[in-house]
């Protein structure tokens, strides 16, 4: 399969060490033996911290986004370092470059692309651009809940949702640079229009990636309308 994997920056660099980069690199190397992989890496805590500094300097959202994008690309470069020869050793700055680099038959790793696009959105647009068979979004929760599981003990996991319902759920959410919502509206809209097979799951356990690729039911599956 041709697979796009979005990995939250908070998962990879939560403790500012190489542990998760190493674990994910081993899994991605193994999966790349049978599948064509494109990975999109988020900014996580480092991006949010830098963005807060940019805001203190009085800069606007576009400039805050630009700094956040640079951090995602640094995280992407760290994952490339862990992957070594298994990956194309340059971070694409746009979707055209990602497709071009994939011609070398290696894992492609990228971060953000432009202001107002989260890495969730980037992964969904990339999946559409390359006509991916599967989009996997690995986040810090088990999937989509009916309400914030970090705030409500009675929050229930939604195992399956139609793309149009996901869009409705996300309406009115904050889109400022560095803010975290369960999922990005732009990403949801791309998934809906392109009928992308999508699974959203917890990336804190890297083995979940293997389970999803192998067809196991885990997290939240977004289905076409």
């Amino acid at each position: 399969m041709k697979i796009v994997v979005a990995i939250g920056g908070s998962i990879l660099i939560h403790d500012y060490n190489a542990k998760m980069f190493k674990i994910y690199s081993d899994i991605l190397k193994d999966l790349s033996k049978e599948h064509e992989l494109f990975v999109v890496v988020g900014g996580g805590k480092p991006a949010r911290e830098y963005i807060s500094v940019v805001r203190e300097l009085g800069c606007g959202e576009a400039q805050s986004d630009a700094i956040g994008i640079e951090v995602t690309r640094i995280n992407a470069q760290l994952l490339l370092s862990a992957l070594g020869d298994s990956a194309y050793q340059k971070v694409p700055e746009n979707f055209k470059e990602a497709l071009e680099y994939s011609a070398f038959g290696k894992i492609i790793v990228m971060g953000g692309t432009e202001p107002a696009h989260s890495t969730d959105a980037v992964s969904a647009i990339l999946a559409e651009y390359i006509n991916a068979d599967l989009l996997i979004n690995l986040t810090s929760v088990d999937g989509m809940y009916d309400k914030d599981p970090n705030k409500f003990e009675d929050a229930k996991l939604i195992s399956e949702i139609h793309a149009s319902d996901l869009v409705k759920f996300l309406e009115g959410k904050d889109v400022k640079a560095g803010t975290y919502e369960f999922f990005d509206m732009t990403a949801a809209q791309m998934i809906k229009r392109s009928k992308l097979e999508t699974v959203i799951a917890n990336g804190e356990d890297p083995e979940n990636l293997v389970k999803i690729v192998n067809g196991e039911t885990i997290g939240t599956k977004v289905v076409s309308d």
Side-chain angles (χ1 to χ4, degrees), residues 57-188:
L57 293 172
C59 299
E61 288 303 306
Q63 286 177 282
S64 298
D65 270 337
I67 293 296
I69 288 167
E70 290 302 320
V71 176
T72 67
R73 291 174 179 171
I74 290 172
N75 289 344
Q77 189 61 62
L78 288 171
L79 184 55
L80 285 180
S81 296
L83 287 166
D85 290 341
S86 296
Y88 186 82
Q89 289 295 315
K90 187 175 181 181
V91 177
E93 295 188 1
N94 54 59
F95 308 111
K96 183 174 182 290
E97 286 185 354
L99 184 59
E100 289 174 350
Y101 298 168
S102 71
F104 290 87
K106 296 189 175 186
I107 300 169
I108 302 302
V109 183
M110 66 188 295
T113 55
E114 58 188 82
H117 281 172
S118 72
T119 46
D120 281 347
V122 170
S123 64
I125 297 169
L126 176 62
E128 182 184 70
Y129 194 89
I130 65 169
N131 194 27
D133 299 299
L134 177 64
L135 170 61
I136 301 172
N137 188 288
L138 299 175
T139 183
S140 58
V141 292
D142 292 334
M144 179 179 175
Y145 287 79
D146 57 352
K147 49 189 170 183
D148 191 341
N150 296 315
K151 297 179 180 178
F152 301 96
E153 292 184 0
D154 62 341
K156 296 180 180 179
L157 180 67
I158 299 171
S159 60
E160 186 172 293
I161 186 170
H162 285 277
S164 59
D165 291 330
L166 177 60
V167 170
K168 291 177 184 177
F169 179 84
L170 294 170
E171 285 177 349
K173 301 295 184 182
D174 199 347
V175 293
K176 288 184 177 180
T179 56
Y180 176 78
E181 294 293 346
F182 158 73
F183 205 61
D184 178 269
M185 174 60 88
T186 301

Side-chain angles (χ1 to χ4, degrees), residues 29-40:
K29 286 177 185 177
D30 190 53
L31 290 174
S32 69
K33 295 174 183 176
E34 296 184 15
H35 307 283
E36 185 177 357
L37 301 181
F38 294 75
V39 183
V40 179

